[in-house]
Every structure is written in structure tokens, then in C-alpha cells.
Amino acid sequence: MKTLKFAAAFVVAFAGQALADPAEGVWKTQVDDGAYAHVTMKKCGSAVCGTISRTFNASGEYKSPNLGKQIVRSMKPLGGGKYEGKVWRPSNNKIYYGKIDLGGSSLKLAGCIAGGLLCSKQTWTRIK
């Protein structure tokens, strides 16, 4: 009986950690049009989504109108650190077919047109 209680407590204590997606966390984007952002990635259903949580320019942190907007949308895990979904580019307000290739503290994000033949890419770094 003690073993069963211990096992149940272990499962409850670590269930949230076991379900965390490797892409979850806070990521720093590359500079685009003179600014960069921190993007908070969280699970959204069976996918991962990213919301702009802080914005920076040459003067430091500032209150961008894009704060709180979702930049990574419905990225579904394919396995091996790869994801597919949509990505929004704030500078032109367009949504693209998106791909992520995740490796350690590096997230390679691509926004593509023409079925993925032409892509604009950024490498993001993990903050937390």
C-alpha cells in the first residue's frame, strides 16, 4: 500500500513536467526591422503557440503595439524537434506557413510561401 501511495504522489508531482513541450519557454527573436522581441511559447491544445511578451529596439525595451499578439500559431510537433504551423510577421501583417527546427537552446523558425519553397528564416535563442 505504501508503494502505491508513493507512486501516485510521484505521478501527481511530475505530471506537469512530463507533459511540457520542449519548445515551451521564452525565446529572443532576431532583429527584424530594427526591433526584436521575447516570445513566450506555450501549449495551445495539441500544438504550441507563441505570444510577444516583451519588445525592444535600439533604445531598449518599449511598448510595441504588437505586445500580447500571437506570432507563432498552432505549431504541431512532428517529432525530432520539428514543428509545422503558421507564423505571423508583424512588419507586414501577413501570416505564413511556418516551420520550427528545435535543437537545445536554439529555435530555427521559417515563414514560407509557395508551399514551403521560399522561406524567410530566423534563429531564436532560449531565455528561459
Side-chain angles (χ1 to χ4, degrees), residues 1 7 9 12 16 25 31 40 50 53 55-56 60-61 66-67 74 76 81 84 89 99-100 105 115 119 127:
M1 188 68 157
V12 169
V31 175
T40 302
S53 49
T55 51
F56 303 84
E61 189 167 6
N66 297 321
L67 277 169
S74 301
K76 297 199 183 287
E84 286 184 353
R89 185 171 185 196
K99 299 187 279 187
I100 288 176
S105 62
C119 300
I127 296 173

Side-chain angles (χ1 to χ4, degrees), residues 66-103:
N66 297 321
L67 277 169
K69 292 187 178 177
Q70 195 175 75
I71 190 168
V72 175
R73 301 173 179 194
S74 301
M75 284 287 181
K76 297 199 183 287
L78 303 175
K82 299 196 182 312
Y83 298 74
E84 286 184 353
K86 303 252 183 235
V87 63
W88 171 63
R89 185 171 185 196
S91 63
N92 65 5
N93 197 31
K94 291 193 179 188
I95 296 173
Y96 298 93
Y97 164 72
K99 299 187 279 187
I100 288 176
D101 189 2
L102 181 64

